[in-house]
Amino acid sequence: MNDLTKTILIVDDENFVRQSFSDYFEDNLFQVLQADSGEKALEILETETPDGTVVDVRMGGMDGHTFIRKASIKKPDTAYIICTGSPDYLIPKDLKKLNCVSDRLFIKPVTNMDELKEELLKIIDMLENKGKENG
Amino acid sequence: MIIRHNSTLTSRIFQILTYTPFLFFTVFLIITPSVHAVETVRVGYFEKKPVTIINNNGQPKGLAIDILSDIAKENNWKLEYIQGSLSDSLNRLKSGKVDLMIPIGHTESRQKVIDYSDKPILQSWGCLFTKYNGSIKSLKDVSGKRIAFVKNSMFYTPFYTITEGLNLTFEFVEVSSYSKLFSGIKEGRFEGGIGDRLALAGLDQELSRIIDGSIVFHPFALHAAVVKGDPKNLLKAINNYLIKGESTPDSSYFKHLNYWLSGMSKQSDYLISALFIVLGLIIFIFIIYLLLRISSFRKALGLTEVIQPQVSTNILITAGVLSVIIWSIDILAEYFLFNKGTPFITIFISQQNPHEIFMHLLSVGTVLFGGIVISRIFARLSVAQSRAEESAENLHTTLNSIGDAVIATDTEGIITRMNSVAESLTGWKLDEAKGKALTSVFHIINAHTGKPTVNPVNQVIEKDEIIGLANHTLLISKDGTNYHISDSAAPIRSIDRTITGVVLVFRDVTEKKQLEEMMIQNEKMLSVGGLAAGMAHEINNPLAGMMQSAEVISMRLGKNKNLQANIKAAEEAGTTMEVINTFMEARNIPRMLVAINESGKRVTAIIDNMLSFARKDENQKSSHDINKLLDRTIELAASDYNMKKQYDFKQIIIQKKYARDLPMIPCEGAKIQQVLLNILRNGSQAMHKADINHPQFVIRTRFEKENKLITVEIEDNGPGMDEKIRKRVFEPFFTTKPVGEGTGLGLSVSYFIITENHDGKMSVESRKGEGTKFIISLPAEGAKP
C-alpha cells in the first residue's frame, strides 16, 4: 500500500448518506467502495482490501457490529469507524478493544466530515506503522 | 324509735324478741317448785322521787319498788300497788285497805298507829329549797319571807321547831305537791320551800339550775310501814332484806341504791359523758371520712375508684352520722321529754329494757344498712357516669388521633365537633367553630370553576347516604390558604336509624396533587425521551443525507472548487468553474446551502436535547459547591452572547443570599449550570419583556438537614404567570415565546436534569404580577438516594 491513494469502503443502507460520504471522500481523492449491507461489504472484502471502512450500525440484515467482528478477522489491518444515527449508541466493549476499530463514535449527521477523515487517516497510519514494525 | 314504727319487718322481729323473755319466764315458773303459797300484798304508795316514781303508764317505779319486788320474789308475794297522796296512803293503811305503805318518814304521831321497818329504805335530809342567788342564803334569812311546804309534810314540824328556837318569823304557805312547790319558788310566789332533799333528783334541767338545795336541817329516814301490829308479818322479810343488803357491799340493795340515786348527784356528769360519747363518735366518723378520702385506703376497702368516689362514701358516712344523731336525739328526747326523771344512764343503756337497746341498735342498723344500699347504688351510678365520661374522653382522643380531618354537624349543618386536623386545615378552633354553620367554617369551592360547591350536609340529608365530594375540591381556610382536599360526608344515625347529624371526613391532598402533577410531568418527559431515542435514528439518517450532501456541495463550490473532477466536468459541459461560480453567487446558492446546514444543525440540537430525557449517566458526576456553581453561572450569563444581544444582563440586580458551609453536591456541574442558566435566561427575558423597572434576582441557598437536601431558590420580580402557564412550564415544547425564539425545551430539560439525572426536586411558585420563584433541591453528599 505504498500508493498514496487510499481505498475506503462505505457500509450504509441509507443511499443518500452513503453517497454523501462517497462524494466527500472522492473529492478528497480517496478510492471509494460502497456496500448497502453488511453481507455485501463482506463480499467486497473477498476481493478488496480497503484501508478503511465507515460502518453504519443499524442496517437491514447484518448489522454493523457483526460485520466488523467478521471483517476484522479477515482484514485486521483495515481501519473501522462506526458512524450511526442513534445518538444514545455506545460502542460494544469487544469492538472497542480492537486496535483497528476507532473508539471515537461519529453520529449522523456528520456536520464536520473533515474530522471523520482525520480520524480515519489516523487509524490507518497507526495500523500501517504497526504492520511495518511487525515486519 | 321512729324507725321502729315505720318498719313492719322490724316491728315483727321486735314482737318476737319481746315475747322471748316471757316465754323464758313462763318456762322458768313452770319448772320451779312452789314452796310457799302465793300471798297478795297490797302496797299503798305516793310519788316521792326517786324512791317511788309514777311512770307514763301510771305504773310505779323507783328504788322502793325495785327493793319490794326483790323481797316479793324471795317471799312469794304478789304485789298490788295502790297509788295515792301521802295522807291517802296513810288513811288506807290505817283502815286496812293496804297492807304496806311506802315510803314514809318517822314521826311521833305516826308511831302510834303504824309500825316502821327497822331499817330505812333510804336516809335523807330535810331541806330548805331556795333560789340560787336568791334572798335566802342561810336559815336565818327566812324571817319575813314566804316559805312553802307540801301538805302533810313530815318536815313541817321539825322546821317549825328549829325556826322557833332561832326566833325567826315567816309566813307558811301550804302547797299540794313538790312540783307546785318548786314552780312557786321559780316564779317567786314564795322565797323558799321545805321538803325532802331527794326531791332534787326529780327536777328537770331548768329547775335544777334554779333550785338550790344546800340548806339542810333535818336528817330523816324513809321507811316501809305496816298497820300497828303487822298482821301479815311483812316487816320481818323487809327487815331481813335491808339488814342483809346493808351488810353485803355487792347486794342487790346497793345496786338499786346506786342505780336510783346516781341520777341525783351525777346527772350532769352523765350528760357530759353522753355528749363526749357522741362527740367521740363524730370524731371517729370524721377520721374514717378522712381516711376514705385517701385513695389507697379506699382501694384497700375495695371501694370504687371513680370520678366522684366521694359520693358513695359520703352517703355511707352520712348514714353513719345520721344513725348516731338519731340515737342521740332519741336518747335526749326520752330523757328530757318523755321519761323525765329517769337517770340518764338508764336511758342511754337501758339495762331494764334489753329490747330497747336492741331497738336502738336495730334503728341505727337500719339507717346504716339503708346508707350502705344507697351508697352502693351511687357507686354503680358513678361507675356508669365515669364510664360515660371515659368513653367521651376516648372519643375525643380518638378523633384527635385520626390523621384525617373530621367535622361533625347536626342536621341543620351546625358544627358540633371537630378534631385538631380539621382545626388546622380550616384555621378555625373548635371553640370558635362550635355552633356555627358548616358553610362559614368549611369553605369549599370547585378548583376548576372557582364556584362554591353544594353544602355536603344538605346533600347527605337529601340523598340519605354517604357521599364523596368531587375530586377537585379546594378548601379555603380562615387565613386564605388553599388546600386540595378529598372528602366524604356520611350521615350520623342514632340507634333507631334516624339521622341526627352529618360527619365530614377530609384530608389535605395538596401534596398528593402536586406529586401527581410531577409524576405526570415525569411520565411526559420519559415518553418524550423514549420517543426521541426511537425517532432520532429515523430523523438523523435522512438529515445526514441532506446535510452531508449539502456539505459536499458547498465544498465542491467552495474550498474544493479546483478539484480535477470539477474542472473536468466544467470542460465537458463547455464552461469553466469561474462561470459556474459567478452563476452560483448570482443565484445565492452558497447562502442557501448555509441555510440548509444551519437549519439542519438546529434540528440536531433539538434531537440532542430531547435525547437527554432518556440519558442517565452516573459516571459523569463529581463534587460541586452549589454556591460556586451559581457564581460561575451568573458570570456566564453576563457574558452570554445570546443574552447580550437582547438586553444587558449586568443591569439586573442580583442579591445573593447564600448559606455558608454547605455540603458538596455530587452532580454533573455542566448540566446543573445549564439548568441555572436556563432559569436565569428565562427570568431575564421575562423581566425585559415586561419592562420591569428594577429587575432583580434573589438567589438563596440553604441546607435542609432532616432530608439532607441543598435547596436553591431563584426568585425574580418579573411579571409572574398564571396557574395555567405555571402548570405547563416544565412541559416539553411548551413555550410562551414567539416561534423561533425558543424551542420550549429549556425548562423541561432542566426539570429532567434535576429530577431524573440527579434525583432532586424542581418546582416553581408564581402568581400573575408577583414574580416567579424556581426552587431546586438536590441531595447533598451522603444523602440516601
Side-chain angles (χ1 to χ4, degrees):
Chain A
M1 293 282 177
N2 293 328
D3 192 349
L4 277 173
T5 308
K6 306 285 181 195
T7 310
I8 184 165
L9 170 65
I10 311 290
V11 190
D12 198 319
D13 60 347
E14 284 277 340
N15 282 335
F16 295 133
V17 178
R18 194 177 66 244
Q19 195 56 58
S20 69
F21 280 129
S22 174
D23 289 344
Y24 172 81
F25 282 106
E26 275 174 8
D27 284 359
N28 285 281
L29 307 174
F30 283 74
Q31 191 187 334
V32 180
L33 303 168
Q34 292 186 29
D36 62 358
S37 70
E39 290 85 349
K40 275 195 182 156
L42 282 177
E43 265 175 42
I44 291 169
L45 288 185
E46 297 286 320
T47 53
E48 304 282 339
T49 305
D51 298 295
T53 54
V54 174
V55 187
D56 184 22
V57 177
R58 274 160 53 158
M59 290 182 291
M62 186 188 290
D63 66 11
H65 298 153
T66 319
F67 164 73
I68 295 173
R69 280 182 196 116
K70 289 186 174 174
S72 62
I73 296 164
K74 259 190 221 169
K75 310 279 179 186
D77 294 330
T78 298
Y80 301 89
I81 286 190
I82 298 169
C83 183
T84 178
S86 306
D88 52 351
Y89 171 80
L90 294 172
I91 302 169
K93 279 179 184 169
D94 65 316
L95 296 184
K96 233 178 181 176
K97 276 185 207 161
L98 298 173
N99 282 331
C100 57
V101 178
S102 166
D103 51 10
R104 187 166 167 195
L105 176 73
F106 285 83
I107 306 274
K108 291 188 278 187
V110 182
T111 46
N112 193 341
M113 286 195 278
D114 288 346
E115 279 182 21
L116 177 66
K117 185 186 76 183
E118 298 302 323
E119 179 68 17
L120 193 64
L121 289 173
K122 195 180 95 187
I123 305 284
I124 293 168
D125 205 36
M126 191 193 77
L127 290 171
E128 271 180 7
N129 288 339
K130 214 175 100 187
K132 276 176 192 165
E133 279 165 22
N134 292 345
Chain B
M1 295 292 182
I2 300 154
I3 303 296
R4 181 201 301 174
H5 299 295
N6 284 347
S7 164
T8 51
L9 178 71
T10 45
S11 70
R12 191 157 298 169
I13 292 166
F14 163 71
Q15 278 172 8
I16 292 164
L17 285 166
T18 4
Y19 294 144
T20 319
F22 286 103
L23 213 69
F24 180 76
F25 191 63
T26 317
V27 171
F28 177 78
L29 279 180
I30 291 164
I31 61 166
T32 310
S34 175
V35 180
H36 304 284
V38 177
E39 189 174 357
T40 304
V41 176
R42 293 161 300 168
V43 182
Y45 73 101
F46 72 99
E47 190 174 30
K48 187 165 181 66
K49 290 172 187 173
V51 182
T52 47
I53 300 162
I54 301 159
N55 73 2
N56 294 339
N57 307 327
Q59 295 300 309
K61 295 200 305 181
L63 175 64
I65 309 301
D66 283 352
I67 288 169
L68 272 185
S69 65
D70 277 358
I71 296 166
K73 252 181 232 166
E74 280 175 15
N75 295 285
N76 213 9
W77 294 345
K78 184 172 178 274
L79 296 173
E80 277 177 16
Y81 287 100
I82 299 155
Q83 193 238 327
S85 69
L86 172 58
S87 31
D88 289 346
S89 298
L90 255 178
N91 288 335
R92 280 181 191 138
L93 187 66
K94 282 180 212 162
S95 60
K97 283 177 183 163
V98 295
D99 304 313
L100 187 68
M101 179 184 168
I102 48 164
I104 186 155
H106 194 279
T107 63
E108 287 303 319
S109 57
R110 290 174 189 165
Q111 181 98 49
K112 290 172 188 160
V113 286
I114 55 175
D115 282 344
Y116 291 96
S117 56
D118 292 350
K119 289 273 172 187
I121 297 167
L122 182 67
Q123 281 184 311
S124 185
W125 290 86
C127 179
L128 173 61
F129 299 110
T130 59
K131 222 174 178 174
Y132 274 115
N133 300 321
S135 51
I136 301 171
K137 297 277 191 289
S138 69
L139 203 57
K140 57 183 194 284
D141 291 336
V142 297
S143 56
K145 305 281 163 42
R146 288 153 59 87
I147 302 296
F149 70 101
V150 181
K151 194 183 172 186
N152 275 348
S153 170
M154 58 173 282
F155 301 105
Y156 177 79
T157 315
F159 189 71
Y160 188 80
T161 318
I162 291 165
T163 48
E164 202 175 38
L166 290 168
N167 207 13
L168 301 166
T169 52
F170 56 89
E171 193 186 336
F172 257 130
V173 183
E174 191 184 86
V175 293
S176 59
S177 68
Y178 272 106
S179 63
K180 287 198 173 133
L181 184 137
F182 288 129
S183 63
I185 294 172
K186 181 187 150 196
E187 287 153 17
R189 273 183 271 126
F190 22 86
E191 284 74 28
I194 52 170
D196 182 352
R197 194 168 181 271
L198 286 173
L200 286 171
L203 291 183
D204 62 22
Q205 221 174 6
E206 193 196 355
L207 279 175
S208 64
R209 274 202 302 273
I210 294 166
I211 305 298
D212 185 0
S214 58
I215 306 168
V216 291
F217 57 89
H218 176 65
F220 77 98
L222 287 174
H223 294 263
V226 295
V227 76
K228 201 74 185 167
D230 190 9
K232 285 202 171 179
N233 197 20
L234 302 172
L235 283 180
K236 192 187 166 194
I238 295 168
N239 286 337
N240 280 345
Y241 177 85
L242 291 173
I243 291 162
K244 204 168 108 194
E246 272 193 345
S247 59
T248 321
D250 61 343
S251 66
S252 60
Y253 170 72
F254 275 121
K255 275 181 193 160
H256 294 314
L257 214 56
N258 279 336
Y259 176 72
W260 287 104
L261 294 186
S262 57
M264 186 179 162
S265 54
K266 293 178 185 168
Q267 173 189 353
S268 56
D269 290 354
Y270 275 114
L271 190 64
I272 288 164
S273 62
L275 287 173
F276 267 116
I277 289 167
V278 170
L279 196 71
L281 274 170
I282 289 169
I283 289 169
F284 172 73
I285 286 164
F286 185 67
I287 288 167
I288 296 278
Y289 171 74
L290 288 181
L291 282 174
L292 283 173
R293 297 211 68 156
I294 301 163
S295 62
S296 52
F297 188 79
R298 272 205 310 276
K299 267 180 196 162
L301 285 182
L303 288 171
T304 52
E305 193 62 41
V306 290
I307 295 216
Q308 285 180 306
Q310 308 95 294
V311 174
S312 57
T313 42
N314 280 354
I315 289 170
L316 201 58
I317 286 158
T318 310
V321 172
L322 211 62
S323 58
V324 170
I325 288 171
I326 287 172
W327 195 344
S328 308
I329 288 173
D330 178 43
I331 287 167
L332 293 174
E334 205 174 337
Y335 181 70
F336 288 110
L337 294 172
F338 306 119
N339 283 351
K340 271 190 218 170
T342 312
F344 187 81
I345 189 71
T346 315
I347 289 168
F348 190 67
I349 299 167
S350 187
Q351 288 170 335
Q352 252 62 21
N353 202 350
H355 74 249
E356 195 163 308
I357 297 173
F358 171 74
M359 280 320 301
H360 276 148
L361 292 174
L362 196 66
S363 62
V364 166
T366 308
V367 173
L368 270 175
F369 181 72
I372 290 165
V373 169
I374 295 168
S375 84
R376 295 317 301 163
I377 292 168
F378 265 80
R380 287 273 171 88
L381 285 177
S382 67
V383 166
Q385 184 200 352
S386 75
R387 271 189 199 143
E389 276 171 24
E390 201 180 315
S391 74
E393 175 68 20
N394 267 345
L395 177 61
H396 180 76
T397 47
T398 309
L399 265 184
N400 277 340
S401 308
I402 294 174
D404 289 352
V406 179
I407 299 180
T409 73
D410 61 13
T411 50
E412 303 296 314
I414 304 298
I415 290 170
T416 55
R417 228 181 240 286
M418 62 197 274
N419 69 355
S420 48
V421 182
E423 281 182 344
S424 64
L425 282 184
T426 58
W428 289 77
K429 290 270 155 220
L430 173 61
D431 295 342
E432 306 167 321
K434 213 169 188 177
K436 284 206 168 61
L438 179 72
T439 43
S440 59
V441 171
F442 185 63
H443 185 41
I444 46 172
I445 58 166
N446 185 308
H448 294 333
T449 62
K451 283 178 188 158
T453 50
V454 186
N455 186 349
V457 174
N458 296 348
Q459 255 180 297
V460 167
I461 289 168
E462 267 171 36
K463 293 189 179 170
D464 193 16
E465 61 183 23
I466 299 169
I467 57 152
L469 293 197
N471 258 337
H472 33 75
T473 306
L474 211 57
L475 169 69
I476 299 166
S477 82
K478 203 180 176 187
D479 62 7
T481 315
N482 291 1
Y483 296 101
H484 284 278
I485 56 162
S486 80
D487 186 3
S488 75
I492 303 171
R493 291 181 199 278
S494 60
I495 295 165
D496 62 0
R497 304 290 296 155
T498 54
I499 295 177
T500 58
V502 173
V503 61
L504 289 145
V505 181
F506 56 98
R507 65 172 68 183
D508 177 12
V509 291
T510 312
E511 248 179 55
K512 200 179 149 205
K513 276 262 169 191
Q514 284 170 349
L515 211 67
E516 270 173 16
E517 272 174 26
M518 274 186 184
M519 280 172 70
I520 291 167
Q521 194 76 45
N522 283 358
E523 286 294 309
K524 272 183 194 169
M525 301 277 180
L526 285 172
S527 61
V528 168
L531 193 66
M535 220 170 66
H537 183 256
E538 300 308 317
I539 291 176
N540 275 347
N541 275 314
L543 199 61
M546 186 178 87
M547 285 175 70
Q548 287 172 196
S549 298
E551 179 78 4
V552 174
I553 295 168
S554 57
M555 278 197 263
R556 283 187 183 177
L557 293 178
K559 92 179 171 190
N560 295 341
K561 65 185 170 201
N562 296 323
L563 274 173
Q564 279 300 189
N566 273 4
I567 295 159
K568 196 182 164 197
E571 268 175 16
E572 279 170 11
T575 184
T576 59
M577 278 310 293
E578 283 73 32
V579 175
I580 292 170
N581 264 337
T582 315
F583 170 79
M584 290 292 176
E585 291 291 340
R587 297 303 297 146
N588 281 331
I589 305 298
R591 178 178 55 76
M592 291 174 194
L593 288 172
V594 168
I596 294 173
N597 253 326
E598 287 302 314
S599 304
K601 274 178 189 165
R602 261 177 57 197
V603 175
T604 334
I606 289 171
I607 291 167
D608 200 37
N609 267 334
M610 279 165 67
L611 284 169
S612 65
F613 298 148
R615 276 191 212 129
K616 196 170 180 179
D617 193 354
E618 292 294 330
N619 300 334
Q620 311 283 322
K621 285 182 185 172
S622 54
S623 278
H624 287 277
D625 178 346
I626 191 69
N627 291 347
K628 280 184 186 160
L629 277 180
L630 276 163
D631 285 343
R632 280 216 300 271
T633 312
I634 293 163
E635 276 169 37
L636 198 67
S639 60
D640 183 81
Y641 173 74
N642 282 328
M643 287 168 85
K644 230 181 209 171
K645 72 180 172 190
Q646 291 170 42
Y647 52 84
D648 194 358
F649 186 80
K650 282 173 186 161
Q651 279 184 354
I652 299 173
I653 304 152
I654 293 174
Q655 289 189 41
K656 296 175 187 174
K657 295 185 176 174
Y658 297 168
R660 296 288 142 207
D661 304 320
L662 290 173
M664 302 293 268
I665 302 170
C667 66
E668 286 179 70
K671 281 198 169 175
I672 299 299
Q673 263 184 290
Q674 185 193 336
V675 171
L676 299 172
L677 194 63
N678 262 330
I679 295 169
L680 292 174
R681 185 186 287 143
N682 268 310
S684 307
Q685 285 175 354
M687 287 192 285
H688 176 74
K689 216 166 114 188
D691 214 7
I692 302 292
N693 263 342
H694 301 287
Q696 68 164 19
F697 281 115
V698 181
I699 303 172
R700 297 182 193 89
T701 56
R702 64 168 185 270
F703 179 49
E704 291 172 27
K705 268 185 189 159
E706 31 326 332
N707 35 22
K708 290 196 169 175
L709 284 176
I710 304 259
T711 298
V712 184
E713 289 182 4
I714 302 177
E715 188 174 3
D716 65 29
N717 60 347
M721 47 198 156
D722 60 27
E723 174 92 6
K724 256 186 186 172
I725 293 175
R726 188 189 63 74
K727 274 188 178 174
R728 297 189 62 190
V729 124
F730 297 125
E731 215 169 272
F733 303 112
F734 175 79
T735 179
T736 55
K737 295 168 193 166
V739 180
E741 246 179 68
T743 56
L745 281 171
L747 282 176
S748 44
V749 170
S750 301
Y751 184 87
F752 206 84
I753 288 169
I754 298 296
T755 58
E756 287 299 316
N757 295 358
H758 290 90
D759 296 315
K761 286 189 274 187
M762 183 168 182
S763 61
V764 62
E765 288 175 7
S766 183
R767 277 182 195 213
K768 191 92 187 152
E770 287 176 24
T772 303
K773 192 204 286 188
F774 282 93
I775 302 152
I776 296 167
S777 298
L778 291 166
E781 260 174 4
K784 282 178 188 168

